[in-house]
Structure formats: structure tokens, C-alpha cells
């Protein structure tokens, strides 16, 4: 069974950091492009970052440049989203998704999705 599971979300104060994980099972993650998306109530799902199978990353949200980074550990079948200097506007559900295609910010390019992990940035 193909599955993506996100973890690492939670409540953090502004300026704090979190590292989200996206663990895959049922398929080999290293052959897939992985994207991180986020969505908050009343807003559309937004592409944040993407990483290809060759470890090339692409930013889709200008607001996270210099603060968020994406990486992958193919041996662990896991992709990470390191989030630093968090702001209240980063509050959202964060989702990882996999596609055999190149990076893209549109959600419909992705075949497999995790259930999401909530990130809340608040004092």
C-alpha cells in the first residue's frame, strides 16, 4: 500500500523552528519528486518547496525563501522540511506529495499525498 506520512508539526512561538518529516512506504521515494504544500482555512493549497530525485530544490513560495529548506534521505525513504524563523502567517496544515514528474507548484501534478500535519505559530 502506497502511503506518505507527515510528522513533526505542532505549536511553536514566532521565531522558532520545526522540522517536518515525510516518510514513504509501499514505494521507493528516491525515484520521485516530492513537494511540500500548505493550506490554511479559507485559502487555496499553496506549493511551498519541491525536491527532485536528484536533490534539486525549487521554491514556490517567496515568503519562505531564506527560512525553509527541503532535503531528502533516500536511505530512510524520507523527505524533510526544515522551517526556521517561523511567523504566524506560516500557520497551516502542511502536506507532502509525490510525483514521478519534475517539480511543479500545481497540486494536480502529484499522485500521492499524505494526511498532513498542523503547524501553528503563535505566542
Amino acid at each position: 500500500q502506497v502511503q506518505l506520512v507527515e510528522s513533526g508539526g505542532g505549536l511553536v512561538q514566532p521565531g522558532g523552528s520545526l522540522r517536518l518529516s515525510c516518510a514513504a512506504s509501499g514505494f521507493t521515494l528516491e525515484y520521485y519528486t516530492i513537494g511540500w504544500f500548505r493550506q490554511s482555512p479559507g485559502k487555496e493549497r499553496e506549493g511551498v518547496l519541491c525536491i527532485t530525485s536528484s536533490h534539486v530544490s525549487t521554491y514556490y513560495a517567496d515568503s519562505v525563501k531564506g527560512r525553509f529548506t527541503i532535503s531528502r534521505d533516500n536511505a530512510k525513504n524520507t523527505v524533510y522540511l526544515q522551517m526556521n524563523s517561523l511567523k504566524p502567517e506560516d500557520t497551516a496544515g502542511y502536506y507532502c506529495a509525490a510525483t514521478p514528474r519534475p517539480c511543479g507548484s500545481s497540486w494536480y501534478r502529484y499522485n500521492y499525498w499524505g494526511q498532513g500535519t498542523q503547524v501553528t505559530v503563535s505566542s
Side-chain angles (χ1 to χ4, degrees):
Q1 181 181 0
V2 172
Q3 195 173 15
L4 290 171
V5 178
E6 301 95 336
S7 61
L11 173 64
V12 63
Q13 292 187 341
S17 298
L18 284 174
R19 188 177 79 159
L20 306 184
S21 299
C22 172
S25 61
F27 69 106
T28 304
L29 199 65
E30 70 175 305
Y31 302 124
Y32 286 78
T33 291
I34 304 299
W36 279 99
F37 292 77
R38 64 185 181 184
Q39 188 171 22
S40 51
K43 294 186 178 180
E44 292 187 358
R45 189 164 294 189
E46 172 190 34
V48 179
L49 271 166
C50 179
I51 188 166
T52 67
S53 58
S54 55
H55 297 249
V56 175
S57 59
T58 303
Y59 286 89
Y60 294 113
D62 289 341
S63 62
V64 307
K65 288 181 179 179
R67 301 188 297 123
F68 290 13
T69 55
I70 190 171
S71 61
R72 63 192 303 159
D73 185 338
N74 290 332
K76 295 183 178 180
N77 229 26
T78 301
V79 171
Y80 303 98
L81 181 67
Q82 178 67 44
M83 305 187 297
N84 299 326
S85 302
L86 283 161
K87 303 176 181 180
E89 51 263 43
D90 295 319
T91 296
Y94 282 74
Y95 302 84
C96 65
T99 179
R101 305 176 184 87
C103 274
S105 61
S106 300
W107 61 268
Y108 52 80
R109 293 173 60 91
Y110 293 80
N111 302 82
Y112 308 120
W113 289 83
Q115 84 289 348
T117 186
Q118 179 67 32
V119 171
T120 302
V121 185
S122 175
S123 55

